[in-house]
Amino acid sequence: MTDAHPRMALGTMHFGTRLSATQSREILDAYLDLGGQWIDTANCYAFWGAESGLGGQSETVIGQWLADRGVRDQVRISTKVGAEPTRPHGFPAAVEGLGRDTVNQAIRDSLQRLQTERVDMYWAHMEDREQPVSDVAETFGELVDQGLATRIGLSNHPAWYAAAANVHAQQRGAARFSALQLRESYLHPRPDVQVEGEDHPHGMMTIESKDLAERCGLDLWAYTPLLTGAYEHPERPLPKAYEHPGTHGRLAVLREWADKLAMKPSQIVLALLNAQQPAITPIVGVSSVAQLAEAVEATRFTLPEEALEELNTVG
């Protein structure tokens, strides 16, 4: 095992559904051997791929792997609450939300599936505007006080929400939300168009979320960084929101640098996210050990300054 942790989190959305338990464990074993540390999951993964119409499969696979391998102290576990259907196949009309009782029960259910006493990061998965911001801040802060979560974060929330929640937490001397998890990649959609298949109205990383993170010391995590394989598979069309001149210019420069550096375009994207200010931790989902090895290699690669300048400014 290498000493340097790759600057990424392993996405496990399809563990136990699209990927069998055996395949999932092979990837987890390889991730550990490659020095991987953060493992990202959610209590709702993956209700849409399960006959039951409810989630929990990913956490269950990870928990059994942790118990069998005895490696809980070598990894960090990140999971979420707020998007699990309250009835089979009930999303998005019937979703658990972020009420105090719901969150308190959900984290205990997640800990049971994960076979651990605490998680290292607990995320509010999506907004619940029926709950006051102050109540959500207090609910999650109490989980830290109870030792059930080491850190707390907000996924798919706007920057203003994070700022308001943390002002409230600061006034109470409570734990703050210390990370934001949002959708981000090298290509960006038009801001006035809803991305096809994106369920979260505030799921995109913005200049405001980046500014908040940099000025207030929050970590940034990026989901769907590789656009479900679109960088390497032209047969997988990008959503229509990405159809604009900036996309074509960026893709051309990305492919040029991939050729120059003898890397895959997706590897360049991962290295570029790490190199941003503030740095962005990509959450990378893979379906094979080979894909995992490529991703880990990319997050350990330092792009030349010339590449950074050109990739960041084109388009």
Side-chain angles (χ1 to χ4, degrees), residues 38-202:
W38 279 106
I39 299 171
D40 185 70
T41 185
N43 68 335
C44 68
Y45 292 165
F47 66 79
W48 57 92
E51 290 185 8
S52 67
L54 298 172
Q57 297 80 11
S58 175
E59 289 182 333
T60 299
V61 168
I62 294 167
Q64 193 58 53
W65 175 77
L66 288 172
D68 292 344
R69 289 294 307 273
V71 293
R72 178 63 183 92
D73 61 339
Q74 297 179 44
V75 296
R76 294 181 181 176
I77 302 298
S78 154
T79 194
K80 313 177 191 73
V81 60
E84 169 73 345
T86 55
R87 63 171 186 265
H89 309 287
F91 188 92
V95 180
E96 61 188 353
L98 300 175
R100 186 182 302 271
D101 291 344
T102 297
V103 171
N104 280 313
Q105 184 60 53
I107 192 169
R108 287 163 173 81
D109 292 343
S110 287
L111 292 175
Q112 184 174 12
R113 286 188 290 267
L114 290 164
Q115 301 191 46
T116 187
E117 295 180 352
R118 59 166 176 80
V119 290
D120 301 285
M121 181 79 80
Y122 199 51
W123 304 90
H125 201 159
M126 57 186 285
E127 277 191 282
D128 178 1
R129 294 206 173 178
E130 293 185 5
Q131 310 299 325
V133 176
S134 58
D135 287 3
V136 173
E138 291 176 17
T139 296
F140 277 78
E142 288 166 1
L143 301 180
V144 177
D145 294 339
Q146 296 168 34
L148 302 178
T150 304
R151 297 172 60 190
I152 51 176
L154 291 170
S155 178
N156 299 307
H157 284 70
W160 69 261
Y161 190 109
N166 281 349
V167 166
H168 182 76
Q170 184 177 25
Q171 290 172 342
R172 295 181 66 248
R176 299 184 310 127
F177 290 106
S178 63
L180 304 176
Q181 183 176 145
L182 299 154
R183 179 169 173 148
E184 174 69 337
S185 186
Y186 178 56
L187 299 181
H188 297 120
R190 286 171 48 195
D192 59 336
V193 177
Q194 179 72 23
V195 177
E196 182 181 352
E198 175 56 60
D199 297 315
H200 308 293
H202 298 288

Side-chain angles (χ1 to χ4, degrees), residues 224 226-236 266:
T224 321
L226 302 180
L227 301 179
T228 62
Y231 289 108
E232 254 102 66
H233 299 280
E235 73 277 9
R236 301 179 189 175
S266 61

